[in-house]
Amino acid sequence: MSPVDLRDSASFTPSAARPGRILALDLARGAALVAMAVFHFVFDLEMFGWVAQGTSTSGGWRVLAVTTAGSFLFLAGVSLWLAQGQGRRWRGFWRRFAKVAGAAALISAVTFPVLRDAFIFFGILHSIAAASLVGMLLLRLPALALAGLAALAFVAPQVARAELFDPWWLWWTGLQTVPIRSVDYVPLAPWLGPFLLGLAAGRIGTATGLWHRLAAWRGSPVAQRLAWPGRHSLIVYLAHQPVLIALVGSATFLLR
């Protein structure tokens, strides 16, 4: 069997230990964080009236938002595989899950009194936490099967919407027929798709030895410094928007 055969990759048993910290993935997360910060800066400019209403939700800015969210979920799928794919470690998983789910709950709690009917009840962190639970259940599927399920997640909002999912406690599915108001809404359909593609990519990377090769690359001192945000992505995610709002709000107060 070829090591890159997607049909049989579930039977691959790696002989080497898990790879260490992978600088390239930290840099990729850092790039996604920069893209997110740029988008949120434009969103904040719109919120304070510096740019036209609808700017952040149209054109290239909308493309940036979708691409950035997909990148985070894809990298989360890769990370889940690297942490759990060569043997489930439930203690580590639940510790990480608690951090992400706790941060998601904090965001909901903070945005509810401020935004009310547009608060973040199922944003990117909620989606990553939920997708991680699904990923643990599907961890042993071959890459081709994961890619197939990802395709189903992508098309589900177009083919599976039903009034059955209209109650608010099912809005996390993305299959409801009623319109949803939220400044950050990332339901499992279709956003489970990029996560499962990341999980599949993780399997392929292990089967081909990619992760061990990347782990051997230490990069330059500059690359190591640039990777810092990616190594602390949850902290950066939680901190960046309050900082941006404070800066834009202060500039608005001083200049208007």
Side-chain angles (χ1 to χ4, degrees), residues 73 76-77 80 93 97 122 124-138 188 191-196 199:
L73 283 155
L80 181 67
F93 170 79
F97 176 83
F122 205 83
I124 186 68
L125 291 183
H126 303 73
S127 192
I128 289 174
S132 296
L133 291 174
V134 176
M136 288 296 280
L137 295 176
L138 304 178
L188 287 188
W191 294 102
L192 183 61
F195 182 91
L196 293 179
L199 201 58

Short mmCIF file of all heavy atoms in Angstrom, two decimals, residues 73 76-77 80 93 97 122 124-138 188 191-196 199:
data_model
loop_
_atom_site.label_atom_id
_atom_site.label_comp_id
_atom_site.label_asym_id
_atom_site.label_seq_id
_atom_site.Cartn_x
_atom_site.Cartn_y
_atom_site.Cartn_z
N LEU A 73 -10.52 26.76 11.70
CA LEU A 73 -11.13 25.45 11.89
C LEU A 73 -10.29 24.35 11.25
O LEU A 73 -10.13 23.26 11.83
CB LEU A 73 -12.54 25.44 11.31
CG LEU A 73 -13.56 26.15 12.21
CD1 LEU A 73 -14.75 26.66 11.43
CD2 LEU A 73 -14.01 25.22 13.33
N ALA A 76 -7.44 23.76 13.52
CA ALA A 76 -7.91 23.06 14.72
C ALA A 76 -8.05 21.57 14.45
O ALA A 76 -7.75 20.73 15.31
CB ALA A 76 -9.23 23.64 15.19
N GLY A 77 -8.52 21.21 13.25
CA GLY A 77 -8.61 19.80 12.88
C GLY A 77 -7.25 19.15 12.80
O GLY A 77 -7.05 18.02 13.29
N LEU A 80 -5.98 18.67 16.35
CA LEU A 80 -6.61 17.56 17.06
C LEU A 80 -5.98 16.24 16.65
O LEU A 80 -5.71 15.37 17.49
CB LEU A 80 -8.11 17.53 16.77
CG LEU A 80 -8.87 16.40 17.49
CD1 LEU A 80 -8.88 16.64 18.99
CD2 LEU A 80 -10.30 16.27 16.96
N PHE A 93 -7.25 16.09 26.18
CA PHE A 93 -8.34 16.59 25.35
C PHE A 93 -9.32 17.40 26.18
O PHE A 93 -9.70 18.51 25.79
CB PHE A 93 -9.08 15.45 24.66
CG PHE A 93 -10.36 15.91 24.00
CD1 PHE A 93 -10.32 16.54 22.77
CD2 PHE A 93 -11.59 15.71 24.61
CE1 PHE A 93 -11.49 17.00 22.16
CE2 PHE A 93 -12.77 16.14 24.01
CZ PHE A 93 -12.71 16.79 22.78
N PHE A 97 -10.32 21.21 25.79
CA PHE A 97 -11.73 21.49 25.51
C PHE A 97 -12.30 22.47 26.53
O PHE A 97 -13.04 23.40 26.17
CB PHE A 97 -12.54 20.19 25.53
CG PHE A 97 -14.02 20.40 25.34
CD1 PHE A 97 -14.56 20.54 24.07
CD2 PHE A 97 -14.86 20.46 26.43
CE1 PHE A 97 -15.92 20.74 23.89
CE2 PHE A 97 -16.23 20.67 26.26
CZ PHE A 97 -16.76 20.80 25.00
N PHE A 122 -22.90 31.35 19.27
CA PHE A 122 -22.19 30.21 18.69
C PHE A 122 -21.21 30.74 17.65
O PHE A 122 -21.42 30.67 16.45
CB PHE A 122 -23.16 29.21 18.04
CG PHE A 122 -22.61 27.81 17.98
CD1 PHE A 122 -22.71 26.96 19.07
CD2 PHE A 122 -21.97 27.34 16.85
CE1 PHE A 122 -22.18 25.67 19.04
CE2 PHE A 122 -21.44 26.05 16.79
CZ PHE A 122 -21.55 25.21 17.89
N ILE A 124 -16.83 31.37 16.61
CA ILE A 124 -15.75 30.52 16.16
C ILE A 124 -15.25 29.60 17.27
O ILE A 124 -14.96 28.42 17.02
CB ILE A 124 -14.59 31.37 15.57
CG1 ILE A 124 -13.51 30.48 14.96
CG2 ILE A 124 -14.02 32.30 16.62
CD1 ILE A 124 -13.92 29.75 13.72
N LEU A 125 -15.14 30.09 18.51
CA LEU A 125 -14.66 29.23 19.59
C LEU A 125 -15.70 28.16 19.95
O LEU A 125 -15.34 27.01 20.24
CB LEU A 125 -14.31 30.07 20.82
CG LEU A 125 -13.10 30.98 20.70
CD1 LEU A 125 -12.83 31.69 22.03
CD2 LEU A 125 -11.86 30.19 20.28
N HIS A 126 -16.98 28.53 19.94
CA HIS A 126 -18.03 27.54 20.17
C HIS A 126 -17.94 26.44 19.11
O HIS A 126 -18.05 25.24 19.42
CB HIS A 126 -19.42 28.18 20.10
CG HIS A 126 -19.63 29.31 21.05
ND1 HIS A 126 -19.06 30.55 20.86
CD2 HIS A 126 -20.39 29.41 22.18
CE1 HIS A 126 -19.44 31.36 21.84
NE2 HIS A 126 -20.25 30.70 22.65
N SER A 127 -17.72 26.86 17.85
CA SER A 127 -17.66 25.91 16.75
C SER A 127 -16.45 24.98 16.87
O SER A 127 -16.55 23.77 16.63
CB SER A 127 -17.62 26.66 15.42
OG SER A 127 -17.83 25.80 14.33
N ILE A 128 -15.30 25.54 17.26
CA ILE A 128 -14.10 24.71 17.43
C ILE A 128 -14.31 23.69 18.55
O ILE A 128 -13.94 22.52 18.42
CB ILE A 128 -12.88 25.60 17.72
CG1 ILE A 128 -12.48 26.36 16.46
CG2 ILE A 128 -11.71 24.77 18.22
CD1 ILE A 128 -11.37 27.38 16.67
N ALA A 129 -14.92 24.13 19.65
CA ALA A 129 -15.17 23.21 20.76
C ALA A 129 -16.10 22.08 20.34
O ALA A 129 -15.83 20.89 20.60
CB ALA A 129 -15.76 23.97 21.95
N ALA A 130 -17.21 22.42 19.67
CA ALA A 130 -18.16 21.40 19.24
C ALA A 130 -17.55 20.48 18.19
O ALA A 130 -17.73 19.26 18.22
CB ALA A 130 -19.42 22.06 18.69
N ALA A 131 -16.82 21.07 17.24
CA ALA A 131 -16.19 20.26 16.20
C ALA A 131 -15.15 19.31 16.79
O ALA A 131 -14.96 18.20 16.28
CB ALA A 131 -15.54 21.17 15.16
N SER A 132 -14.49 19.71 17.86
CA SER A 132 -13.52 18.84 18.51
C SER A 132 -14.18 17.60 19.08
O SER A 132 -13.62 16.49 19.01
CB SER A 132 -12.78 19.61 19.61
OG SER A 132 -12.03 20.68 19.06
N LEU A 133 -15.38 17.77 19.64
CA LEU A 133 -16.12 16.60 20.15
C LEU A 133 -16.47 15.65 19.00
O LEU A 133 -16.29 14.44 19.11
CB LEU A 133 -17.40 17.06 20.85
CG LEU A 133 -17.22 17.81 22.17
CD1 LEU A 133 -18.57 18.32 22.65
CD2 LEU A 133 -16.57 16.91 23.22
N VAL A 134 -16.95 16.22 17.89
CA VAL A 134 -17.26 15.40 16.72
C VAL A 134 -15.99 14.73 16.21
O VAL A 134 -15.99 13.55 15.85
CB VAL A 134 -17.91 16.25 15.62
CG1 VAL A 134 -18.14 15.42 14.36
CG2 VAL A 134 -19.22 16.86 16.10
N GLY A 135 -14.90 15.49 16.17
CA GLY A 135 -13.64 14.95 15.67
C GLY A 135 -13.15 13.77 16.48
O GLY A 135 -12.61 12.81 15.91
N MET A 136 -13.32 13.81 17.79
CA MET A 136 -12.89 12.68 18.61
C MET A 136 -13.69 11.42 18.28
O MET A 136 -13.17 10.31 18.34
CB MET A 136 -13.03 13.03 20.09
CG MET A 136 -12.00 14.03 20.58
SD MET A 136 -10.28 13.43 20.49
CE MET A 136 -10.21 12.41 21.98
N LEU A 137 -14.95 11.60 17.92
CA LEU A 137 -15.78 10.46 17.55
C LEU A 137 -15.38 9.89 16.19
O LEU A 137 -15.53 8.68 15.95
CB LEU A 137 -17.25 10.87 17.52
CG LEU A 137 -17.88 11.29 18.85
CD1 LEU A 137 -19.31 11.77 18.63
CD2 LEU A 137 -17.85 10.14 19.86
N LEU A 138 -14.88 10.75 15.32
CA LEU A 138 -14.56 10.34 13.94
C LEU A 138 -13.06 10.12 13.72
O LEU A 138 -12.63 9.90 12.59
CB LEU A 138 -15.04 11.40 12.95
CG LEU A 138 -16.53 11.77 13.02
CD1 LEU A 138 -16.84 12.86 12.01
CD2 LEU A 138 -17.40 10.54 12.77
N LEU A 188 -22.20 24.44 12.88
CA LEU A 188 -21.49 23.25 12.40
C LEU A 188 -21.74 22.98 10.92
O LEU A 188 -20.88 22.40 10.26
CB LEU A 188 -21.88 22.03 13.24
CG LEU A 188 -21.31 22.00 14.66
CD1 LEU A 188 -21.60 20.65 15.32
CD2 LEU A 188 -19.82 22.29 14.69
N TRP A 191 -19.57 24.75 8.82
CA TRP A 191 -18.21 24.98 9.32
C TRP A 191 -17.53 23.75 9.90
O TRP A 191 -16.32 23.80 10.19
CB TRP A 191 -18.23 26.12 10.33
CG TRP A 191 -18.58 27.41 9.68
CD1 TRP A 191 -19.79 28.06 9.70
CD2 TRP A 191 -17.72 28.22 8.87
NE1 TRP A 191 -19.73 29.20 8.96
CE2 TRP A 191 -18.47 29.33 8.44
CE3 TRP A 191 -16.39 28.11 8.47
CZ2 TRP A 191 -17.94 30.32 7.63
CZ3 TRP A 191 -15.85 29.09 7.66
CH2 TRP A 191 -16.62 30.19 7.26
N LEU A 192 -18.26 22.66 10.07
CA LEU A 192 -17.58 21.41 10.41
C LEU A 192 -16.71 20.94 9.24
O LEU A 192 -15.76 20.19 9.43
CB LEU A 192 -18.61 20.34 10.78
CG LEU A 192 -18.07 18.98 11.24
CD1 LEU A 192 -17.23 19.12 12.49
CD2 LEU A 192 -19.22 18.00 11.48
N GLY A 193 -17.05 21.40 8.03
CA GLY A 193 -16.33 20.98 6.83
C GLY A 193 -14.84 21.24 6.89
O GLY A 193 -14.03 20.31 6.74
N PRO A 194 -14.38 22.50 7.08
CA PRO A 194 -12.94 22.73 7.13
C PRO A 194 -12.26 22.03 8.29
O PRO A 194 -11.10 21.62 8.17
CB PRO A 194 -12.83 24.26 7.25
CG PRO A 194 -14.18 24.74 7.63
CD PRO A 194 -15.15 23.75 7.09
N PHE A 195 -12.95 21.84 9.40
CA PHE A 195 -12.36 21.11 10.52
C PHE A 195 -12.06 19.66 10.12
O PHE A 195 -10.97 19.14 10.39
CB PHE A 195 -13.30 21.14 11.72
CG PHE A 195 -12.74 20.45 12.94
CD1 PHE A 195 -12.02 21.16 13.88
CD2 PHE A 195 -12.93 19.09 13.15
CE1 PHE A 195 -11.49 20.53 15.01
CE2 PHE A 195 -12.41 18.45 14.26
CZ PHE A 195 -11.69 19.18 15.20
N LEU A 196 -13.02 19.01 9.47
CA LEU A 196 -12.82 17.62 9.05
C LEU A 196 -11.76 17.52 7.96
O LEU A 196 -11.01 16.54 7.91
CB LEU A 196 -14.14 17.02 8.57
CG LEU A 196 -15.22 16.84 9.64
CD1 LEU A 196 -16.49 16.26 9.03
CD2 LEU A 196 -14.72 15.95 10.78
N LEU A 199 -8.62 17.49 9.82
CA LEU A 199 -8.40 16.18 10.41
C LEU A 199 -7.87 15.20 9.37
O LEU A 199 -6.94 14.42 9.63
CB LEU A 199 -9.72 15.68 11.01
CG LEU A 199 -9.66 14.58 12.08
CD1 LEU A 199 -8.83 15.04 13.27
CD2 LEU A 199 -11.07 14.23 12.54
#
